[in-house]
Amino acid sequence: MITKRIIPCLDVKNGRVVKGVNFKGLADVNSPVELGRYYSENGADELVFYDITASAEGRKLFTDTLREVASTIFIPLTVGGGINTVDDFKRVLDCGADKVSVNSGAIKDPSLIGRAAEIYGSQCVTLSVDVKRVDGEFHVFKNGGREDTGMDAIEWIKNGVRSGAGELVVNSMDTDGVKTGFDIELLKRVEDAVDIPVIASGGAGGIQDFIDLFKAIPDIDAGLAASIFHFGEVTIPDLKKSMAEAGINVRL
């Protein structure tokens, strides 16, 4: 049985970690360097770093903060925000990232996924998708969840995997920050459609939500969360202990 991963997410704006609800109302949390070090030392399996306003502001990702985070952690690091070209992949990997997450950049230029995978390997290319229900359908949103593309999320995800993405982060905008549990309906649809690792994001409010996720969708690879970890509502060692007791394979 594959070991399930627990992944904290650092949403970074102006060099600080922030968190909101449904992608809105961002509040300052902490230094990404301090939080990254804390998670690296306290049981996180990986870390995700998003420069959440880079795409909307039409700029490149802040590399100085990223370099500092990468130099202080000893777990795999996935980085996204303002990734629009193959050169952006190189710049972020050169800063110490292990994987690069692409979202709005791939929507603007779908060939980016394949070109990056050809150069750096699919294992370096993570497709991150912000999904929200619109009139009963799952739509893809871009620019940090600000704009509805009108695209069907499942079809977009399948196309991204065919193009060469090696991993998926599925961000449910409907459950983001609400803390009522992961979006099981959406995640089941995605898991049934692809054969690459899927990371669930959006909705974790406590330990039981992770257990429910991995019990409901045994093939899902990882659970990602932010605020419950940032504010100390759940510690990763406690979460993993409870998961193990529930029969879920996890690295203790």
Side-chain angles (χ1 to χ4, degrees):
M1 187 189 300
I2 295 175
T3 301
K4 304 305 183 185
R5 292 173 286 154
I6 300 300
I7 306 175
C9 177
L10 307 181
D11 292 324
V12 179
K13 179 181 181 182
N14 299 326
R16 297 284 294 179
V17 176
V18 297
K19 192 68 189 89
V21 176
N22 302 129
F23 283 41
K24 298 175 183 176
L26 301 176
D28 184 88
V29 176
N30 205 331
S31 153
V33 178
E34 291 177 18
L35 274 180
R37 181 186 295 113
Y38 170 79
Y39 290 132
S40 180
E41 294 172 351
N42 284 274
D45 296 297
E46 298 187 16
L47 188 68
V48 168
F49 176 112
Y50 288 139
D51 186 341
I52 60 171
T53 57
S55 291
E57 294 173 2
R59 59 170 172 78
K60 294 185 182 297
L61 181 144
F62 289 128
T63 52
D64 51 350
T65 304
L66 171 57
R67 284 183 190 277
E68 198 172 355
V69 171
S71 69
T72 59
I73 68 172
F74 300 95
I75 53 177
L77 175 63
T78 300
V79 177
I83 307 297
N84 295 298
T85 66
V86 171
D87 286 343
D88 290 331
F89 271 78
K90 180 179 188 305
R91 191 165 48 86
V92 169
L93 291 168
D94 286 347
C95 286
D98 299 282
K99 293 178 277 189
V100 181
S101 175
V102 62
N103 188 330
S104 295
I107 293 170
K108 285 184 282 188
D109 178 10
S111 73
L112 176 60
I113 297 171
R115 289 186 288 117
E118 185 175 348
I119 296 169
Y120 299 109
S122 290
Q123 78 283 352
C124 280
V125 182
T126 297
L127 177 61
S128 179
V129 188
D130 298 332
V131 184
K132 186 176 182 180
R133 288 167 178 78
V134 179
D135 297 327
E137 299 179 346
F138 293 117
H139 283 200
V140 177
F141 279 64
K142 65 180 182 178
N143 292 335
R146 293 168 178 81
E147 185 178 341
D148 183 0
T149 67
M151 292 193 300
D152 178 81
I154 305 303
E155 289 305 311
W156 168 243
I157 285 168
K158 287 161 66 173
N159 288 336
V161 173
R162 280 194 291 264
S163 296
E167 186 174 68
L168 286 170
V169 177
V170 181
N171 310 300
S172 171
M173 293 177 62
D174 294 309
T175 61
D176 174 71
V178 179
K179 300 184 180 179
T180 55
F182 289 95
D183 195 331
I184 301 297
E185 180 192 5
L186 167 62
L187 294 164
K188 278 184 174 178
R189 289 277 305 276
V190 173
E191 188 63 54
D192 288 344
V194 302
D195 58 0
I196 65 171
V198 176
I199 299 170
S201 172
I207 287 173
Q208 191 60 45
D209 291 329
F210 285 89
I211 293 172
D212 291 345
L213 168 70
F214 293 120
K215 292 286 189 181
I217 315 176
D219 290 335
I220 205 149
D221 289 79
L224 179 150
S227 58
I228 63 166
F229 296 143
H230 298 343
F231 297 118
E233 297 164 36
V234 172
T235 69
I236 292 174
D238 285 347
L239 169 58
K240 288 187 167 186
K241 180 174 180 290
S242 296
M243 288 172 58
E245 290 172 351
I248 298 167
N249 194 26
V250 66
R251 180 180 67 88
L252 295 172

